[in-house]
Amino acid sequence: MIHFERFILRNGLRVVVHEDRSTPLVTMNILYDVGSRDEDPGFTGLAHLFEHLMFGGSVNIPDYDTPLQLVGAENNAFTSNDITNYYITIPAENIETAFWLESDRMLGLNFSQKSLDIQKNVVIEEYKQRYLNQPYGDAMLLLRPLAYKIHPYRWSTIGLDISHVEKADLETVRNFFFSHYAPNNAILCLAGNISADRTRELSEKWFESIEPGKIKKRNLQQEPLQTEARQQTVERDVPADAFYKVWHTVSRLDTDFQTLDLLSDILSGGESGRLNKVLVREKRLFSEINAYITSDLDPGLIVIYGNVMKDVDLKYAENAVIDLLEELKVPGAIPDDEVEKVKNRFESTNVFSNTNALNKAVNLSFYELMGRAEMINTEIDIYRKITAKMIGDSARKYFLNSNCSTLYYKSDRKS
């Protein structure tokens, strides 16, 4: 059981604290309720750009990293479709340094043309390295707009087009910052060797004077029901043919989410997952094949992707996957011991994940964003109640051809 306390500052900042005296460290996690889904279609990639800009200095502290290095801290950040998250792991006796730095970043960034130009170049280079210069790197850039037609999940965090980042000016980034990066749009979580009283004292000292922001109202269009299969084929200089199939599913808070998560584990739960066991080891159709469910706050996807063995027909391999999915729909086709196995794997992964301060801080922040911080202790119980019948029902409900989008990724390399 992970015990925690929560309180809200006068400016709207939500604070969650988990005291753990078994460690000499504290993790400070700040989650901002802004991700790529909050961007304008004509100006995408800004949330991810801000992940980088936030390390370029703030109004009173021109150098963010050096003070942390001097006190033995580590820090990083990540951006998703839904959130932007920053964290610091620091010796407990130096925790006030983290409060000082993060409060100044929330107060305001050092918006200079030099910093913007540097970080834009970093993001553009990342785009080239991760999406253009890696085999299959642009797959999700192609797949998202194939699956989504209206919802902003149709672009990745890097953006719909890298030209949006290239043309971003100081006014654009300032407006985006003051529309989203404010105490009333953030969750501060402390996990580790710190008490609730000390957390409240430092939170009030460093954060409470920051004025709440005028947060841009989120008014996202709901993705319409997909009623027919979609396909796209591309040719690339890659070592083998591949395909990516996605089906629309549910939001992270939907009652079907955990069932679909176990369904993806049955398909791709390591060496014993059905995809690997049948299609890699037994039939030798794929060199690798995997499945996962996106954990999006709005309705997401279940994804299956695989690299086909040389001389295996891409369509033949795809049909083998479809046959395997159809087997899951047959009543009684999923034995109870297989379900118990993936439940146990989830539980062990969950328990292990929450053994260190960083994971606890990140997880508590995300659960709090969903309005259910208590789920850090209760979600295992939800998984435990899932039955084989529930998983089969989900396979029948979501694995429909009319609900599927497929990207065929063909190799144009000469033999």
Side-chain angles (χ1 to χ4, degrees):
M1 180 69 69
I2 297 173
H3 298 281
F4 62 89
E5 296 183 37
R6 61 156 74 84
F7 55 90
I8 301 176
L9 300 185
R10 287 195 297 267
N11 56 14
L13 179 65
R14 286 179 277 175
V15 184
V16 181
V17 55
H18 162 67
E19 182 177 350
D20 178 5
R21 295 299 183 181
S22 68
T23 174
L25 305 174
V26 179
T27 292
M28 170 184 280
N29 191 80
I30 296 188
L31 182 155
Y32 288 95
D33 186 10
V34 55
S36 59
R37 67 173 175 164
D38 296 296
E39 298 161 347
D40 186 281
F43 243 126
T44 61
L46 291 182
H48 176 248
L49 176 61
F50 263 96
E51 178 193 322
H52 294 266
L53 283 171
M54 292 282 270
F55 292 95
S58 52
V59 288
N60 299 303
I61 308 170
D63 181 0
Y64 177 85
D65 286 321
T66 299
L68 288 178
Q69 293 168 358
L70 291 173
V71 296
E74 296 180 353
N75 71 97
N76 214 326
F78 62 86
T79 310
S80 76
N81 299 105
D82 300 312
I83 66 170
T84 310
N85 196 84
Y86 302 86
Y87 57 85
I88 299 170
T89 299
I90 191 168
E93 62 269 22
N94 297 325
I95 186 59
E96 193 160 6
T97 299
F99 276 90
W100 168 60
L101 287 167
E102 289 299 335
S103 63
D104 205 60
R105 290 209 293 189
M106 186 180 288
L107 179 65
L109 295 184
N110 175 24
F111 289 108
S112 69
Q113 190 62 50
K114 179 180 179 181
S115 176
L116 178 59
D117 290 342
I118 290 173
Q119 298 309 325
K120 282 165 62 173
N121 288 334
V122 170
V123 171
I124 292 167
E125 187 60 30
E126 178 184 346
Y127 174 79
K128 292 176 181 178
Q129 290 182 1
R130 290 183 58 187
Y131 298 94
L132 299 185
N133 298 332
Q134 282 197 33
Y136 316 101
D138 64 344
M140 291 308 294
L141 300 183
L142 299 167
L143 194 56
R144 282 187 172 276
L146 184 63
Y148 291 101
K149 297 305 178 184
I150 292 179
H151 195 280
Y153 285 166
R154 68 183 183 273
W155 59 81
S156 298
T157 55
I158 200 72
L160 191 60
D161 192 297
I162 197 61
S163 65
H164 294 177
V165 172
E166 291 172 333
K167 68 183 181 182
D169 56 22
L170 280 173
E171 182 180 3
T172 300
V173 297
R174 274 199 196 96
N175 289 340
F176 192 81
F177 178 85
F178 289 112
S179 297
H180 299 286
Y181 295 81
N184 49 323
N185 202 44
I187 296 167
L188 170 66
C189 182
L190 280 295
N193 198 339
I194 189 170
S195 68
D197 288 343
R198 180 63 170 158
T199 298
R200 182 184 289 273
E201 173 194 343
L202 292 174
S203 298
E204 291 175 350
K205 175 181 177 180
W206 289 104
F207 283 98
E208 197 159 54
S209 62
I210 302 173
E211 292 293 323
K214 188 176 180 180
I215 305 304
K216 183 178 180 181
K217 185 177 180 181
R218 182 177 288 135
N219 185 23
L220 305 180
Q221 290 184 287
Q222 185 176 351
E223 183 68 19
L225 180 70
Q226 183 173 334
T227 57
E228 60 181 10
R230 301 169 186 161
Q231 298 179 354
Q232 182 180 353
T233 302
V234 297
E235 292 188 356
R236 296 286 191 270
D237 180 18
V238 292
D241 290 348
F243 67 75
Y244 298 74
K245 298 182 77 69
V246 299
W247 294 261
H248 290 279
T249 57
V250 297
S251 72
R252 181 64 177 79
L253 279 171
D254 193 279
T255 54
D256 278 351
F257 174 81
Q258 289 83 7
T259 304
L260 285 162
D261 192 24
L262 289 187
L263 173 57
S264 71
D265 285 347
I266 285 174
L267 288 169
S268 187
E271 290 295 312
S272 61
R274 291 194 179 198
L275 292 172
N276 186 74
K277 180 181 177 182
V278 176
L279 303 181
V280 176
R281 300 210 315 264
E282 294 178 8
K283 296 187 176 181
R284 300 184 183 277
L285 299 179
F286 294 85
S287 59
E288 63 173 326
I289 185 167
N290 293 287
Y292 66 92
I293 183 172
T294 61
S295 298
D296 299 316
L297 291 178
D298 290 331
L301 304 169
I302 188 166
V303 183
I304 296 178
Y305 65 96
N307 293 352
V308 178
M309 292 289 286
K310 188 177 181 181
D311 299 327
V312 172
D313 179 72
L314 189 58
K315 196 68 180 176
Y316 181 82
E318 180 191 14
N319 286 335
V321 172
I322 294 171
D323 289 344
L324 190 149
L325 298 181
E326 290 299 314
E327 291 174 9
L328 293 173
K329 299 179 182 181
V330 177
I334 306 173
D336 291 337
D337 60 347
E338 187 175 13
V339 176
E340 188 65 22
K341 187 174 184 178
V342 293
K343 286 182 184 179
N344 290 340
R345 183 183 295 115
F346 168 79
E347 184 169 356
S348 63
T349 301
N350 181 277
V351 171
F352 182 76
S353 171
N354 287 320
T355 56
N356 71 65
L358 173 58
N359 287 344
K360 284 186 279 191
V362 173
N363 291 339
L364 276 168
S365 299
F366 190 71
Y367 283 125
E368 178 66 18
L369 176 66
M370 295 192 293
R372 301 183 184 179
E374 293 77 10
M375 280 181 68
I376 198 167
N377 294 315
T378 62
E379 193 163 34
I380 287 175
D381 297 332
I382 298 173
Y383 279 83
R384 277 286 162 207
K385 293 175 182 176
I386 295 170
T387 65
K389 181 181 182 302
M390 292 167 65
I391 295 173
D393 288 344
S394 287
R396 288 186 287 275
K397 181 177 179 180
Y398 296 102
F399 283 138
L400 303 174
N401 185 53
S402 60
N403 186 39
C404 183
S405 298
T406 306
L407 173 67
Y408 298 104
Y409 209 101
K410 292 189 173 182
S411 171
D412 63 3
R413 289 187 183 181
K414 305 299 181 183
S415 301

